[in-house]
Amino acid sequence: MGYAVLSTWKMSFNGALIAGEVLKNGGTPLEAIKAGINDVENNPDYLSVGYGGLPNREGEVELDAAIMDGSTGLFGGIMGVKGIANPIDVALDLSQKRLNCLLCGTGAEKYARLKGFEFKNMLTEKAKKQWEEQEIKNNDAESLVSYNGHDTVSFVARQGTFLAAGVSTSGIFLKVPGRVGDSPIVGGGLYSDSEAGAAAATGDGEDILRGCLSYEIVRQMESGKTAMEACETTLCNHLKKMNRKGLKIGPVSLIALDADGGFGAATSLNEFAFIYTDNSTPPAVWIAGAKTGVVKATGERLSQYTRD
Ligand code: GLY
């Protein structure tokens, strides 16, 4: 089996290209995911990840990231960190450890400083301006509406039979300081087991965590479903269950690679763009839709798609 990269949102196109190059040159899926996510983290145009991410209610950018190695089951993650230029790099470093591999807040920042990771002011003028405008309109904290386009960049990658998953996000715009979503939580925002598959999520973290959706997708693949069937079944079952419980859930989108070479995606949105590339296919944008299924986006369809 060759290599493959699957990543969330159009904003990850260049990152998927870079990740594909890493794999083509014999790199591991962990190295490919780091390189792909770095490209998104470093781009100030993307308002939901890394540098340029939108801040919390108090105007501070708080970041979460995690990565999981499907060959060993080791994972690393950081949550609620400020000023770390590339959170996924720290998560990758932590994923070498069996214990003390998931760190939060000041403890995670201290670890990153000690290890020599780069720090910088992650709040750009563009993000600050959006925060100021929103803050002024919504001075009642309970009525704040989060940025509709917030979304995690999530990657799953394969090199032969080695699978991995990684994610990075600034979380929901105007979140309560200290709030953490699904992204750095193994089983929620990501999961990888090279014997079965790798999965990752993007969307409203609390809704994703309610179903441990990434773990559930991998569990479904382990029991014989393809990546596509596992994504669809997991999302459908979760939506039905939440509906039975009377809970309306927000945007949730899922991606997965199975151990047999297949890929899959599912979404609760009308449109969710993701990128796929492998050793015989250059990166391309695909669009999943709650009602339309999954299609490769070309020509007019692609030009009509307006989100990052
Ligand atoms: N999915 C990212 C978050 O909810 O924080």
Side-chain angles (χ1 to χ4, degrees), residues 44 47 51-53 61 121-129:
L47 300 173
Y51 181 57
V61 182
N121 177 11
M122 300 298 276
L123 185 64
T124 59
E125 280 307 312
K126 182 176 168 186
K128 189 172 170 206
K129 191 161 174 283

Side-chain angles (χ1 to χ4, degrees), residues 64 150 152 169 171-172 179-183 201-206 208:
D64 310 321
H150 102 275
T152 306
T169 189
I172 293 182
R179 176 266 182 195
V180 175
D182 60 303
S183 300
T202 180
D204 283 358
E206 292 80 350
I208 294 162

Side-chain angles (χ1 to χ4, degrees), residues 2-3 21 54 59 69 72 79 85 88 125 145 157 175 248 261:
Y3 69 79
E21 287 297 315
L54 289 168
D69 176 333
T72 59
M79 51 180 107
I88 194 68
E125 280 307 312
V145 179
K175 63 190 176 185
K248 189 177 172 305

Side-chain angles (χ1 to χ4, degrees), residues 158 163 193-199 213-237 240 255-266:
R158 150 200 344 279
L163 290 164
D193 173 358
S194 296
E195 292 175 10
L213 295 183
S214 293
Y215 178 74
E216 177 59 19
I217 294 169
V218 175
R219 200 191 64 79
Q220 299 261 355
M221 292 191 285
E222 191 166 30
S223 69
K225 286 203 164 51
T226 64
M228 195 67 82
E229 290 164 350
C231 287
E232 283 165 358
T233 306
T234 297
L235 183 64
C236 181
N237 288 348
K240 278 190 200 152
I255 56 171
L257 290 175
D258 59 46
D260 297 322
F263 74 92

Side-chain angles (χ1 to χ4, degrees), residues 83-229:
I84 296 180
N86 291 108
I88 194 68
D89 292 6
V90 184
L92 180 59
D93 181 276
L94 286 164
S95 75
Q96 312 303 310
K97 302 166 182 293
R98 187 179 69 84
L99 300 175
N100 296 304
C101 55
L102 183 60
L103 302 181
C104 72
T106 52
E109 289 159 18
K110 190 170 173 185
Y111 178 86
R113 272 188 213 286
L114 281 171
K115 286 282 205 150
F117 287 100
E118 184 190 348
F119 276 68
K120 67 179 183 187
N121 177 11
M122 300 298 276
L123 185 64
T124 59
E125 280 307 312
K126 182 176 168 186
K128 189 172 170 206
K129 191 161 174 283
Q130 261 190 255
W131 175 73
E132 284 167 349
E133 283 167 5
Q134 189 83 3
E135 254 257 321
I136 292 158
K137 271 190 273 162
N138 294 286
N139 52 14
D140 167 13
E142 287 312 308
S143 70
L144 287 173
V145 179
S146 63
Y147 166 56
N148 191 28
H150 102 275
D151 280 296
T152 306
V153 68
S154 309
F155 272 68
V156 287
R158 150 200 344 279
Q159 178 71 284
T161 56
F162 182 176
L163 290 164
V167 298
S168 184
T169 189
S170 53
I172 293 182
F173 180 31
L174 300 170
K175 63 190 176 185
V176 170
R179 176 266 182 195
V180 175
D182 60 303
S183 300
I185 309 296
V186 164
L190 74 168
Y191 199 80
S192 181
D193 173 358
S194 296
E195 292 175 10
T202 180
D204 283 358
E206 292 80 350
D207 288 333
I208 294 162
L209 284 170
R210 282 187 179 95
C212 296
L213 295 183
S214 293
Y215 178 74
E216 177 59 19
I217 294 169
V218 175
R219 200 191 64 79
Q220 299 261 355
M221 292 191 285
E222 191 166 30
S223 69
K225 286 203 164 51
T226 64
M228 195 67 82
E229 290 164 350

